[in-house]
Amino acid sequence: MRMRLALAARCARGHRMGSNYPRSVRRCLPACVLGVEVVLVLIFAFFTSYDPSPKDQKMVLGAYQVLQDFTIAAALGLGFLTSYWRRHSWSSVAFNLFMLALGVQWAVLLDGFLSQPFPRKVTINLSSIRLATMSAMSVLISAGTILGRANLVQLSVMVLVEVTAFGAMRLTYKQVFNLDDHRSMMHIHVFAAYFGLAVAWCHSSPLPQQKEVQEENVPVSRSTSMFAMLGTLFLWMCWPSFNSALLDIANEKKNAVFNTYYALAVSTVTATSVSALIHHQGKINMIDIHNAVLAGGVAVGASCHLISSPWIAMVLGLLAGLISVGGVRCLPVCFNRVLGIQDQSGVHYTFGLPGLLGGFTYMVLIMLQASGKPRAGYVMLIDAGALSFALAMGLGSGFLTGFLLKLRIWRAPPVVKHFDDQAFWEFPHLAAGF
């Protein structure tokens, strides 16, 4: 009886809030997204072309296999990773796919225009699509902090702005810091995590009823939590391909694959054991597994090709697992209550903190290799500056994006419909919703 009364109350609230989301706006906002897609089609029609140069078939098949791994990691891995919310699983998976599709298109154009003079046409090949997919993954990482509290148009704006900011950061890395593609791409975790946290801080709405609404909608359910674990498994399997994709030397690529596997394995064992250890009944928390088992792959990303012994990668996986599980227990209290940042997906302790650990590890390894050489201090300064620039770029562009998304023109869903699929999807068997 109480459940029926609660459902009736939700239906009444949904109908009352319908006046704040008028029919004209519901038709106008999707038209804006469709208009963006039409513009992209026209740009592709006049300013792009396929690479006509013939290549070895084995190289093409190898590049396509790596591209498949990225697509699986982005669409299935990051899509299902945030699907454990009880009433927001549809939107988590489908909106993730939408952002990936839009982000790849814009990243292909942006990378092409930034890497050559504008009057020339952008040449598209498997390498450019692979690089664009990796760049679009930055948005999928950041979106975990705002999914459930933004509509489709807000997410589209976030895609365009963040991919542009990430492309500008990578261009700066090449021209100012003289970094290669692998180094510039491995800072994606730090950039994306703090971009998302900045957007979440700007987009937070501390209303009195928000806590009540989130307590009702945010908790996980068994079925969707299993799908989230499926996303974790896809990411776990494909992470070595991500860390080794932009390395050209065969020995470095081999080291990157091996070290990533070792780090992921140790972070998985660490997360499982520590989660049971800190529970008063010795039980394992599924949220710890969703986040901490991936932390090793993030932490080893920047230095995976430099590590010559597996024990170093294993130590990184151990530290990353400990940091991630500790973040699950401690950081939500600080972020939610003190700073007002709502990071339900754990982006900070899954990608941000392990990414910082990986950046510091790279600096230590480079210093050990350059010890006694004349420019060791300069190399250390460049690496520290690059990591700091990724952090500053993520925070700065994230704050700008967050303030932009707060404009009323986007008509964000009301607080009563946060983390609720009924705000965006048709449920024929329910009378509630917009």
Side-chain angles (χ1 to χ4, degrees), residues 18-52:
S19 59
N20 293 332
Y21 211 76
R23 185 178 300 274
S24 60
V25 174
R26 285 183 289 170
R27 293 177 177 176
C28 179
L29 294 184
C32 295
V33 179
L34 186 60
V36 171
E37 182 59 42
V38 171
V39 172
L40 289 175
V41 171
L42 293 176
I43 295 176
F44 271 93
F46 292 102
F47 297 101
T48 64
S49 62
Y50 286 132
D51 186 5

Side-chain angles (χ1 to χ4, degrees), residues 292-359:
V293 300
L294 302 174
V298 175
V300 81
S303 57
C304 57
H305 61 296
L306 299 177
I307 299 174
S308 57
S309 179
W311 72 269
I312 301 177
M314 296 172 76
V315 170
L316 271 179
L318 176 65
L319 294 176
L322 292 175
I323 290 174
S324 186
V325 174
V328 175
R329 293 294 185 271
C330 303
L331 289 180
V333 177
C334 175
F335 271 47
N336 294 345
R337 299 180 183 178
V338 180
L339 300 178
I341 300 177
Q342 301 155 10
D343 182 21
Q344 281 85 6
S345 297
V347 170
H348 191 205
Y349 40 82
T350 304
F351 300 98
L353 294 180
L356 290 176
L357 174 63

Side-chain angles (χ1 to χ4, degrees), residues 236-258:
W236 202 94
M237 292 185 296
C238 297
W239 214 274
S241 297
F242 182 85
N243 284 353
S244 62
L246 301 180
L247 296 170
D248 297 325
I249 302 176
N251 189 53
E252 291 184 349
K253 186 180 288 289
K254 179 201 68 176
N255 288 342
V257 171
F258 289 172

Side-chain angles (χ1 to χ4, degrees), residues 31 33 60 99 101 139 159 165 256 288 304 346 363 370 376 396 420:
V33 179
V60 173
M99 290 185 290
V139 185
V159 169
D288 297 338
C304 57
M363 288 188 285
D420 194 345

Side-chain angles (χ1 to χ4, degrees), residues 78-160:
L78 291 173
F80 283 109
L81 185 65
T82 56
S83 66
Y84 53 83
W85 291 319
R86 184 174 62 187
R87 300 181 60 88
H88 199 258
S89 56
W90 288 19
S91 301
S92 296
V93 177
F95 287 177
N96 180 86
L97 179 60
F98 170 84
M99 290 185 290
L100 174 64
L102 181 62
V104 169
Q105 296 177 67
W106 178 234
V108 167
L109 295 175
L110 187 67
D111 291 341
F113 290 141
L114 292 179
S115 62
Q116 64 184 14
F118 180 74
R120 297 178 57 185
K121 282 192 173 184
V122 175
T123 302
I124 299 176
N125 51 34
L126 282 177
S127 297
S128 61
I129 299 176
R130 179 184 62 185
L131 196 62
T133 304
M134 297 178 75
S135 298
M137 288 178 69
S138 63
V139 185
L140 308 186
I141 295 173
S142 303
T145 62
I146 198 175
L147 274 176
R149 294 179 285 130
N151 59 31
L152 204 60
V153 178
Q154 288 176 303
L155 295 177
S156 302
V157 173
M158 182 175 174
V159 169
L160 298 177

Side-chain angles (χ1 to χ4, degrees), residues 206-284:
L207 298 179
Q209 71 264 33
Q210 186 177 15
K211 182 178 180 181
E212 176 186 353
V213 173
Q214 289 186 358
E215 287 179 352
E216 184 181 358
N217 293 346
V218 171
V220 302
S221 64
R222 292 182 179 180
S223 59
T224 52
S225 185
M226 180 58 68
F227 283 114
M229 189 60 196
L230 181 64
T232 302
L233 294 177
F234 279 122
L235 287 171
W236 202 94
M237 292 185 296
C238 297
W239 214 274
S241 297
F242 182 85
N243 284 353
S244 62
L246 301 180
L247 296 170
D248 297 325
I249 302 176
N251 189 53
E252 291 184 349
K253 186 180 288 289
K254 179 201 68 176
N255 288 342
V257 171
F258 289 172
N259 290 322
T260 303
Y261 271 119
Y262 284 123
L264 286 170
V266 174
S267 63
T268 301
V269 176
T270 301
T272 306
S273 57
V274 173
S275 179
L277 181 65
I278 62 181
H279 193 273
H280 66 282
Q281 294 181 347
K283 295 183 178 181
I284 303 171

